[in-house]
Amino acid sequence: GRLFVNRVFHISAEKMFDMLFTDSNFLRRFMHVRKITGASSTPWQREASGGMKRTLNYTITISNPLVGKFSTATENQTLYKESREGQYYMIDAEVYTHDVPYHDYFYTQNRYCIIRNSKHKCRLRIYTDVKYKKQPWGLVKSFITKNSWSGLEDYFKHLEAELLEEEAELTQGSGDA
Ligand code: YK8
């Protein structure tokens, strides 16, 4: 896998969780600029294991010329029971893109860790892996992996940049930046 984001933000852990994992203005705006449309989500629901789960459905717009312009996607998010409100959050997100070539072979697993650093700061880590449901022919596999990494890198670099902008807006004039 790859670590795409690993940085301390001047944003509390709780606020970061709300921004990324609830129906926040930040996420709505980010989806709008990424042309992610038709997003719907189940509420977070407690599992027997003690963790929480929810499922998102949306349509993504793709810029890769090898792929159709749109794909529907399903994202299953798990908030691990080891998470502690305001302190530490670990979320795994499995993303299935239903309408891309070879979609029945692979999915993407994104792991988000939000760790409290101080009252107003947190570290965000986003770790990504391309997972295979069945083994494709070697050349196909490297084709999928290569195209997935470039799309994921673009997405997470953009997310990081938007988070930095939000941080600048939030800390502006607060006097403790
Ligand atoms: C989520 C992983 C692969 C996919 C794409 C598929 C190439 C197909 C390979 C062929 C287009 C928002 C990606 C990047 C689309 C976007 C997905 C996003 C960024 C040519 C063999 C959507 C996180 C996420 C997870 C997986 C990403 C797809 O929040 O390359």
Side-chain angles (χ1 to χ4, degrees):
R2 289 196 188 173
L3 191 61
F4 278 123
V5 178
N6 182 20
R7 170 191 284 278
V8 173
F9 291 90
H10 197 275
I11 296 174
S12 71
E14 193 175 17
K15 169 101 184 151
M16 183 65 84
F17 177 81
D18 287 347
M19 281 165 60
L20 297 177
F21 296 101
T22 68
D23 182 25
S24 65
N25 287 326
F26 173 82
L27 200 60
R28 253 183 269 147
R29 248 181 291 132
F30 185 65
M31 286 181 146
H32 182 76
V33 289
R34 296 295 306 187
K35 300 194 176 76
I36 296 173
T37 58
S40 69
S41 164
T42 64
W44 280 109
Q45 268 173 329
R46 179 83 51 200
E47 292 279 287
S49 65
M52 310 265 270
K53 272 198 185 342
R54 68 170 189 165
T55 299
L56 285 82
N57 282 290
Y58 45 80
T59 299
I60 55 173
T61 305
I62 300 168
S63 54
N64 187 329
L66 300 174
V67 186
K69 206 169 163 10
F70 304 102
S71 175
T72 57
T74 301
E75 175 162 345
N76 298 321
Q77 296 181 345
T78 305
L79 173 67
Y80 282 91
K81 69 166 190 301
E82 290 74 20
S83 303
R84 290 286 168 273
E85 201 173 347
Q87 301 287 328
Y88 177 74
Y89 302 82
M90 188 165 91
I91 300 97
D92 267 350
E94 291 173 0
V95 182
Y96 296 83
T97 43
H98 305 297
D99 310 307
V100 302
Y102 305 107
H103 61 89
D104 48 336
Y105 283 90
F106 76 101
Y107 64 94
T108 304
Q109 183 169 302
N110 301 321
R111 172 164 289 184
Y112 298 78
C113 293
I114 302 169
I115 306 149
R116 179 191 152 116
N117 205 305
S118 67
K119 192 161 184 246
H120 300 288
K121 288 186 182 166
C122 72
R123 177 178 293 277
L124 174 66
R125 284 209 188 99
I126 306 175
Y127 179 86
T128 294
D129 213 355
V130 180
K131 301 272 194 185
Y132 288 88
K133 287 185 275 182
K134 47 185 186 183
Q135 282 304 313
W137 186 44
L139 267 178
V140 170
K141 189 171 177 177
S142 62
F143 186 57
I144 294 170
T145 308
K146 184 173 157 288
N147 282 280
S148 296
W149 285 142
S150 62
L152 285 157
E153 171 154 40
D154 179 65
Y155 180 84
F156 286 121
K157 288 296 145 198
H158 190 181
L159 180 65
E160 183 172 41
E162 294 291 330
L163 284 169
L164 285 169
E165 266 199 30
E166 184 75 12
E167 172 189 56
E169 273 167 41
L170 288 168
T171 53
Q172 196 177 52
S174 80
D176 65 359

